[in-house]
């Protein structure tokens, strides 16, 4: 009974701010009252019309797409290599290395990026690719964690041994066994990556150029204006994060399914 | 093609050490002809060597006479059934079974037909659309067997195939493996630590201990004429008695003086004898035993198994394990002369 109350209380705590955002985004005027007065959809129209929000929206989508693609392209081979490393010490070392960004504040990473990429030799500060590169560093640990854990759980090594004894080549094993068997964890990893990338603020705020600002960075500005506008803009971010997560998951799932079917 | 006498699997002086350890196998030479299966200890290493997952430090491995020591696993054409089956979790039963054909680029039609035939052989025809997770342990075992056989491998390697099954399924699967192996007439290496499994399944047993060859032979030979105390103790239950030779057909043991078959050893020399528990005769007070090698018996422990009883008995200054179907109180025992076997002292 006690547990039920704790759960209920926590859910309320979790849902109320989001609910208030929703309410605020449809409210005409919200000053010193408990709830806003009047109702309107004008704030959404305003956000949609705002050129800086439109650009930020597109930038965020681009960054998420690049980040997710890079996480799979880098993370999957890395996870695979890590899983197959015989040396315990090397495995532990790599583990610490790739987990480091989790412990490190994104701020530190951002300062590093600014130092390196504002020089004349590497003048890439402000490009969307650099922004995505940072997001990859920040999100890759979560992707790797999900995939490596699944490899261990599945006993992937034995599955590969079996496939090999049945005549399967290295590439066939990867395409027929490794990829399809891991599709759930790849999916789960990508959902986390997409959600983190969409909402990332600290790093993006410092590293993004004026034209490559992501949605959360621009959103901060909204809170200096009308409450309704800020709420509507935030609800859009919320929706965006959910869409990106679900979309990323579906794409990844579809891709692995197609691989399994085609091969 | 190899001649009739060429063994399907042959190991010649094969050694392997796991890097940085003392574990492995040393100087193993064995042959498996179609329908023959050894078992032993140091055993999974042996299977991994034959399948090619590891390469021997020394010696050669031949399949149908061809030296495959340098071949990668996928070119060795060994059907391997793993301890945990290693079915591909994302593939349906028929896809699992057809997988070896798929990587060999067999046409889809033929793939389907041959997988269906194999599933029929292992008795799983109705379950071909299931996923492995939807099958029982015994069914998964059959799928693994079908998958390992579907591409006509040179040899079938089974790594502790029954160890993950419950007792009832295990007995049924044991007969099933035997039937399928006979139907396919394929050289089979069955790795097991279970003596019952080895005795009942194998045509030939190879016993390993600490990575070294100990003895090979038919199950009867292994059981009835064990090479040493280790084999005697490992295969079946055994009474091992240290003895001293009195004359050509008499020895002294802790139990007492025993009349034996001629043993051909010098008086005064030490030797070790084996008496299987089921070969010792027991008698109650009502119908006393007569003849040679009869001793008074005191029951120390009595375990009832339904069909038989396992007794631990004190006789003379020694103890004996006895297995008997008799229900009466045991007061006497007789060790038949022909039940006494001589072992090399070790």
């Amino acid at each position: 009974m006690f547990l039920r109350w704790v759960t209920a209380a926590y859910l309320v705590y979790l849902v109320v701010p989001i609910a208030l955002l929703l309410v605020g985004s449809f409210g005409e005027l919200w000053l010193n009252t408990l709830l806003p007065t009047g109702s309107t959809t004008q704030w959404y129209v305003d956000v949609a019309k705002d050129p800086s929000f439109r650009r930020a929206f597109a930038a965020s989508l681009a960054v998420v797409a690049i980040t997710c693609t890079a996480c799979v392209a880098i993370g999957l081979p890395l996870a695979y290599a890590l899983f197959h490393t015989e040396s315990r010490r090397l495995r532990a070392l790599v583990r610490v290395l790739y987990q480091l960004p989790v412990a490190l504040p994104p701020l530190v990473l951002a300062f590093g990026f600014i130092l390196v990429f504002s020089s004349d030799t590497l003048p890439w500060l402000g490009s969307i690719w650099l922004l995505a590169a940072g997001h990859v560093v920040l999100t890759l640990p979560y992707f790797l964690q999900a995939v490596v854990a699944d490899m261990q759980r599945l006993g992937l090594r034995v599955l590969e041994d079996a496939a090999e004894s049945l005549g399967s080549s290295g590439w066939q094993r990867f395409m027929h066994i490794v990829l399809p068997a891991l599709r759930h964890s790849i999916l789960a990893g990508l959902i986390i990556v997409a959600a983190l990338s969409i909402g990332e603020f600290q790093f993006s705020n410092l590293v993004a150029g004026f034209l490559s600002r992501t949605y959360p960075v621009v959103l901060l500005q909204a809170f200096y204006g009308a409450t309704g506008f800020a709420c509507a803009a935030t609800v859009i971010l919320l929706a965006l994060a959910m869409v990106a997560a679900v979309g990323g998951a579906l794409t990844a799932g579809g891709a692995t399914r197609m691989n399994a079917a085609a091969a | 093609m190899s001649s009739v006498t060429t063994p399907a699997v042959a190991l010649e002086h094969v050694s392997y050490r796991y890097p940085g350890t003392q574990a492995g196998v040393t100087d193993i030479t064995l042959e498996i002809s179609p329908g023959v299966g050894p078992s032993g200890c140091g055993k999974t290493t042996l299977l991994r060597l034959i399948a090619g997952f590891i390469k021997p430090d020394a010696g050669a491995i031949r399949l149908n006479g061809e030296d495959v020591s340098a071949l990668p696993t996928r070119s060795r054409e060994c059907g391997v059934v793993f301890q945990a089956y290693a079915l591909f979790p994302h593939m349906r039963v028929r896809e699992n079974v057809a997988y070896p054909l798929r990587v060999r680029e067999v046409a889809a039609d033929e793939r389907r037909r041959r997988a269906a035939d194999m599933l029929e052989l292992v008795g799983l025809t109705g379950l071909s659309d299931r996923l492995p997770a939807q099958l029982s342990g015994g069914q998964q075992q059959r799928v693994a067997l079908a998958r390992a056989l579907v591409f006509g491998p040179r040899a079938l390697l089974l790594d502790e195939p029954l160890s993950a099954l419950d007792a009832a399924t295990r007995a049924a699967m044991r007969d099933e493996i035997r039937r399928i192996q006979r139907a396919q007439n394929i050289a089979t290496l069955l790795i097991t630590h279970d003596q019952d499994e080895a005795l009942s399944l194998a045509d030939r047993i190879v016993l390993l201990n600490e990575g070294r060859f100990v003895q090979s032979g038919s199950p009867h030979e292994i059981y009835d004429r064990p090479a040493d105390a280790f084999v005697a103790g490992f295969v079946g239950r055994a009474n091992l008695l240290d003895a001293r030779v009195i004359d050509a057909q008499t020895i002294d043991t802790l139990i007492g003086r025993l009349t034996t078959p001629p043993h051909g050893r010098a008086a005064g020399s030490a030797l070790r004898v084996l008496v299987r528990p089921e070969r010792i005769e027991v008698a109650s007070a009502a119908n006393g035993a007569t003849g040679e090698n009869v001793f008074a018996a005191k029951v120390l422990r009595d375990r009832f198994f339904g069909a038989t009883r396992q007794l631990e008995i004190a006789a003379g200054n020694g103890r004996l394990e006895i297995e008997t179907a008799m229900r009466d109180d045991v007061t006497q025992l007789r060790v038949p002369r022909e039940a006494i076997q001589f072992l090399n002292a070790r």
Side-chain angles (χ1 to χ4, degrees):
Chain A
M1 195 46 65
F2 174 70
L3 284 179
R4 224 177 259 183
W5 279 109
V6 171
T7 313
Y10 181 67
L11 277 177
V12 168
Y13 170 72
L14 208 65
V15 169
V16 162
I18 297 173
L20 281 180
L21 276 175
L22 266 174
V23 170
S25 72
F26 290 108
E28 211 174 327
L29 195 68
W30 198 0
L31 295 170
N32 273 330
T33 49
L34 183 64
L35 288 173
T37 50
S39 76
T40 176
T41 53
Q42 188 57 42
W43 298 122
Y44 285 98
V45 177
D46 285 355
V47 174
K49 277 186 180 161
D50 188 313
S52 67
F53 272 89
R54 290 169 74 111
R55 189 178 298 122
F57 195 87
S60 270
L61 284 186
V63 169
V64 168
I66 299 169
T67 306
C68 283
T69 311
C71 270
V72 174
I74 300 168
L76 210 52
L78 191 59
Y80 191 62
L82 196 64
F83 180 70
H84 277 279
T85 304
E86 295 288 341
S87 156
R88 259 167 208 280
R89 221 178 290 165
L90 184 64
R91 211 159 44 207
L93 183 75
V94 176
R95 233 182 147 74
V96 169
L97 272 180
Y98 82 67
Q99 294 281 7
L100 212 56
V102 177
L104 220 63
L107 213 57
V108 176
L109 185 70
F111 286 147
F113 266 55
I114 290 170
L115 274 178
V116 174
F117 295 109
S118 59
S119 59
D120 284 340
T121 28
L122 301 167
W124 299 334
L125 210 60
S127 89
I128 204 152
W129 295 98
L130 193 68
L131 194 58
H135 279 210
V136 170
V137 175
L138 292 173
T139 55
L140 195 61
Y142 300 94
F143 182 79
L144 284 175
Q145 191 59 45
V147 175
V148 171
D150 199 36
M151 286 175 167
Q152 279 154 357
R153 186 189 61 82
L154 280 172
L156 194 65
R157 199 179 295 255
V158 184
L159 294 184
E160 285 188 84
D161 276 357
E164 194 181 357
S165 75
L166 298 171
S168 181
S169 70
W171 177 246
Q172 284 174 324
R173 289 201 293 282
F174 191 78
M175 295 310 286
H176 298 166
I177 311 298
V178 176
L179 220 47
L182 289 176
R183 65 190 191 280
H184 295 301
S185 57
I186 293 174
L187 214 113
L190 280 180
I191 291 176
I192 299 170
V193 167
L196 285 174
S197 174
I198 282 279
E200 208 294 322
F201 175 77
Q202 279 190 57
F203 176 84
S204 310
N205 191 37
L206 287 168
V207 169
F210 185 73
L211 292 178
S212 66
R213 286 189 301 172
T214 55
Y215 200 85
V217 176
V218 176
L219 183 61
L220 183 67
Q221 314 297 322
F223 280 86
Y224 298 114
T227 314
F229 186 84
C231 287
T234 312
V235 169
I236 290 171
L237 175 65
L238 205 68
L240 186 62
M242 288 173 85
V243 168
V246 172
L250 289 181
T251 331
T256 40
R257 251 198 310 281
M258 260 160 28
N259 272 331
Chain B
M1 200 50 220
S2 55
S3 68
V4 189
T5 51
T6 307
V9 181
L11 272 66
E12 291 165 7
H13 305 290
V14 168
S15 296
Y16 179 80
R17 286 266 153 273
Y18 286 99
T21 68
Q22 289 301 304
V25 295
T26 309
D27 195 20
I28 300 290
T29 295
L30 69 87
E31 290 181 353
I32 317 168
S33 296
V36 175
S39 84
C41 166
K43 36 198 168 49
T44 297
T45 307
L46 213 58
L47 181 138
R48 294 185 70 79
L49 279 164
I50 297 171
F53 295 123
I54 50 179
K55 302 266 186 290
D57 300 331
I61 294 160
R62 295 179 189 281
L63 296 176
N64 290 332
E66 183 197 346
D67 187 345
V68 296
S69 309
L71 282 186
T73 297
R74 67 191 185 91
S75 309
R76 291 200 185 185
E77 310 264 312
C78 288
V80 184
V81 174
F82 292 82
Q83 204 164 355
Y85 318 135
L87 299 181
F88 307 131
H90 57 286
M91 291 187 197
R92 304 196 173 275
V93 165
R94 59 181 154 73
E95 292 168 324
N96 260 287
V97 175
Y99 186 71
L101 305 177
R102 177 172 151 197
V103 297
R104 284 171 178 74
E105 291 172 351
V106 172
D109 275 0
E110 197 190 338
R111 231 149 71 187
R112 209 166 302 131
R113 188 178 53 73
R114 280 169 67 180
D117 286 352
M118 206 40 82
L119 282 171
E120 195 187 333
L121 177 74
V122 299
L124 284 183
T125 300
L127 304 178
S128 63
D129 279 324
R130 297 246 186 120
L131 287 169
Q134 297 167 315
L135 300 178
S136 72
Q139 290 167 339
Q140 290 185 36
Q141 170 77 267
R142 287 160 197 257
V143 177
L145 209 55
R147 189 179 66 176
L149 287 168
V150 76
F151 60 103
R154 296 196 256 206
L156 181 63
L157 310 177
L158 308 170
D159 188 6
E160 302 262 3
L162 305 175
S163 62
L165 301 175
D166 60 75
T169 320
R170 198 177 303 165
M173 253 337 269
R174 195 189 286 173
D175 296 339
E176 196 62 8
I177 287 177
R178 190 76 173 128
R179 177 182 71 77
I180 292 163
Q181 186 260 333
R182 282 273 156 85
Q184 296 284 302
N185 190 31
I186 183 171
T188 301
L189 177 82
L190 182 127
I191 301 287
T192 179
H193 66 274
D194 181 337
Q195 30 153 316
D196 289 343
E197 210 172 294
L199 289 174
S200 63
L201 266 172
D203 296 308
R204 212 166 80 96
I205 295 172
V206 175
L207 252 162
L208 304 183
N209 186 27
E210 289 169 358
R212 285 177 187 277
F213 172 88
V214 180
Q215 187 180 3
S216 74
S218 71
H220 287 123
E221 281 166 358
I222 297 275
Y223 188 81
D224 289 338
R225 290 195 296 282
D228 60 25
F230 167 77
V231 179
F234 183 76
V235 181
R237 298 155 65 79
N239 292 300
L240 297 168
L241 302 170
D242 288 320
R244 184 158 297 278
V245 174
I246 303 300
D247 60 38
Q249 291 193 44
T250 317
I251 57 172
D252 258 351
T253 67
L254 282 177
I255 306 297
R257 188 156 290 190
L258 289 175
T259 307
T260 70
H263 49 67
R265 292 175 210 231
S269 63
L271 82 168
R272 192 165 240 210
V273 299
L274 159 70
V275 184
R276 293 287 183 193
E278 70 276 12
R279 303 285 298 272
I280 299 173
E281 294 165 9
V282 289
S284 60
N287 54 349
T290 52
E292 63 191 13
N293 297 346
V294 172
F295 302 96
K298 182 167 175 285
V299 175
L300 299 175
R301 201 183 57 203
D302 186 346
R303 288 191 294 183
F304 181 61
F305 286 91
T308 60
R309 285 156 81 195
Q310 283 177 5
L311 306 173
E312 191 179 331
I313 277 179
N317 294 319
R319 289 183 177 194
L320 287 173
E321 290 223 37
I322 294 178
E323 192 168 307
T324 178
M326 194 183 79
R327 296 292 180 90
D328 301 335
D329 286 337
V330 172
T331 56
Q332 273 186 314
L333 64 86
R334 190 175 85 87
V335 182
R337 189 194 288 222
E338 61 281 5
I340 302 169
Q341 301 170 60
F342 308 103
L343 299 176
N344 301 319
R346 214 183 176 216

